Amino acid sequence: MMDVCLFGVGLIGRVHAGNLARHPKVRLRYIVDPNREAAQKVAAVTGAEIADTETVMNDPAVKMVFIASATRTHAELAMAAAAKGKAIFCEKPIDLDLKRTDECLAAVAKAGVPFQIGFNRRFDPSFRALKERLDGGEIGAVEQVIITSRDPEPETEEALAGGGGVFREMTIHDFDMARNMLGEEPVELFATGSSLVAPQYGKLGDYDTAMFILRTASGRQCHINNSVRAAYGYDQRIEVHGADGMLQAGNRLPTSVEMYGGTGISRDKPYYFFVERYAESYAAEIDHFITCVETGGKPAVTASDGRKAMILCEAAIASARSGRFEPVKL
């Protein structure tokens, strides 16, 4: 059983803490978070010890670190862990600055340690099955990919102030899925954004509603639509159209029960948010990383994938401001 450390016990950190505590091949030895009260709550449930960064980095028994802390700390923690020879699982984005991201990637490459970026949607059972059938040639050559990703409600202004904006924090997942499903790298991107839902986004110079078009060199297309409001729940769907047909992966519902009556037919709304909707994918990505570290395998989603998604984010920001297609070089 390998000792691991978790940095950050916010919402996603708590999800990872539970999965790590339940995993049979690791022991969640340490938790690091400046919020002592939050750390104590998670430690009480998982049995982990609350520690500081120096203690963790200098403990040779810690073989892996899981970074789910504030975005601004990701690169620094990853480089420190790499220098100590520890395997790294890092939530997206690696950093909000591409230069800093490249510095981190160089340090990881020099150390030769495993690195997996937290693009959990690649591990969603439905999305993964769609991708496998796509790669199996079931619908022929890809022509169009349509991705719908809508949050159930806006973030608070306080929460937004500490982040990197909707494109870097939300759409970055969709850009990774677009690359994964297209099977070719995008070469140009168009983005348009509006503030239609909540004034706090516009106040911060951001968008709460957006659409994107990506095109590859061969002409394959992807359309992504984002919103921070969906009255019916967390809306997560993918459709891929090919020469011989179409593959779809729809929303997940709490139950499959439907009611048929004289006034209509009803069923459950989609799961409310990402913790419930992607519960299986979070467990699967953690298991995949631990297996890679144990066996010496290469993670399916690497630091390079994180960098390429961030390049698409920066191109989208530029396009939304200019109103033009932006070239992309991945």
Side-chain angles (χ1 to χ4, degrees), residues 258-311:
E258 295 182 342
M259 192 285 286
Y260 291 73
T263 59
I265 301 170
S266 65
R267 61 178 181 173
D268 291 349
K269 295 190 294 186
Y271 279 113
Y272 183 71
F273 211 11
F274 66 87
V275 172
E276 300 86 8
R277 165 63 180 83
Y278 286 117
E280 293 166 301
S281 72
Y282 288 121
E285 69 173 350
I286 292 290
D287 183 66
H288 173 75
F289 181 64
I290 291 170
T291 299
C292 287
V293 174
E294 180 185 39
T295 63
K298 181 181 178 181
V301 195
T302 66
S304 175
D305 293 307
R307 182 182 189 275
K308 289 178 179 180
M310 181 55 72
I311 290 173

Side-chain angles (χ1 to χ4, degrees), residues 12 67-78 88-98 100-101 104-105 115-119 162-173 302-303 305-311 313-314:
I12 191 59
I67 303 172
S69 48
T71 297
R72 65 180 180 276
T73 68
H74 289 184
E76 180 180 356
L77 289 171
I88 303 157
F89 178 97
C90 183
E91 275 299 328
K92 55 77 195 168
I94 298 170
D95 196 84
L96 298 178
D97 180 73
L98 275 174
R100 182 69 167 165
T101 298
C104 179
L105 267 60
F115 185 109
Q116 182 172 319
I117 192 75
F119 284 145
V166 166
F167 292 3
R168 297 188 185 102
E169 301 284 358
M170 178 181 178
T171 317
I172 191 169
H173 276 295
T302 66
D305 293 307
R307 182 182 189 275
K308 289 178 179 180
M310 181 55 72
I311 290 173
C313 291
E314 298 306 308

Side-chain angles (χ1 to χ4, degrees), residues 8-269:
V9 291
L11 184 54
I12 191 59
R14 294 194 297 275
V15 172
H16 291 326
N19 287 325
L20 289 168
R22 288 187 291 270
H23 202 283
K25 294 183 178 179
V26 300
R27 176 177 66 155
L28 182 54
R29 175 71 184 278
Y30 297 118
I31 288 172
V32 180
D33 194 295
N35 185 331
R36 185 79 180 182
E37 182 180 355
Q40 288 174 335
K41 289 180 179 178
V42 176
V45 174
T46 63
E49 178 183 339
I50 299 172
D52 56 32
T53 300
E54 184 178 3
T55 298
V56 172
M57 297 303 176
N58 289 327
D59 187 342
V62 175
K63 304 301 182 184
M64 289 175 266
V65 298
F66 292 79
I67 303 172
S69 48
T71 297
R72 65 180 180 276
T73 68
H74 289 184
E76 180 180 356
L77 289 171
M79 288 189 285
K84 293 293 185 177
K86 303 181 189 300
I88 303 157
F89 178 97
C90 183
E91 275 299 328
K92 55 77 195 168
I94 298 170
D95 196 84
L96 298 178
D97 180 73
L98 275 174
K99 181 178 179 181
R100 182 69 167 165
T101 298
D102 287 342
E103 291 175 358
C104 179
L105 267 60
V108 170
K110 180 179 179 180
V113 296
F115 185 109
Q116 182 172 319
I117 192 75
F119 284 145
N120 65 293
R121 296 181 190 181
R122 293 211 197 185
F123 296 89
D124 174 76
S126 295
F127 293 167
R128 184 162 53 185
L130 190 156
K131 173 63 173 173
E132 289 172 355
R133 293 172 69 170
L134 185 64
D135 289 346
E138 193 165 326
I139 61 168
V142 174
E143 294 172 359
Q144 292 181 323
V145 177
I146 298 93
I147 299 173
T148 295
S149 181
R150 302 182 183 125
D151 285 356
E153 63 178 330
E155 294 268 19
T156 64
E157 185 172 344
E158 181 182 14
L160 292 172
V166 166
F167 292 3
R168 297 188 185 102
E169 301 284 358
M170 178 181 178
T171 317
I172 191 169
H173 276 295
D174 303 313
F175 286 147
D176 180 65
M177 290 307 296
R179 291 184 55 242
N180 190 38
M181 296 297 174
L182 282 167
E184 299 175 357
E185 297 290 10
V187 296
E188 65 176 359
L189 179 156
F190 177 80
T192 180
S194 302
S195 183
L196 302 175
V197 178
Q200 58 265 35
Y201 288 83
K203 183 178 179 181
L204 294 170
D206 202 1
Y207 311 106
D208 55 39
T209 308
M211 287 191 173
F212 311 83
I213 297 174
L214 291 74
R215 190 182 68 82
T216 71
S218 73
R220 295 181 182 184
Q221 301 170 344
C222 176
H223 169 259
I224 299 168
N225 63 89
N226 285 164
S227 175
V228 301
R229 176 167 61 194
Y232 47 87
Y234 193 42
D235 194 356
Q236 299 286 294
R237 292 173 280 140
I238 292 179
E239 175 183 303
V240 183
H241 182 264
D244 300 322
M246 179 176 67
L247 289 166
Q248 288 182 329
N251 285 316
R252 301 289 296 278
L253 311 180
T255 75
S256 62
V257 176
E258 295 182 342
M259 192 285 286
Y260 291 73
T263 59
I265 301 170
S266 65
R267 61 178 181 173
D268 291 349
K269 295 190 294 186

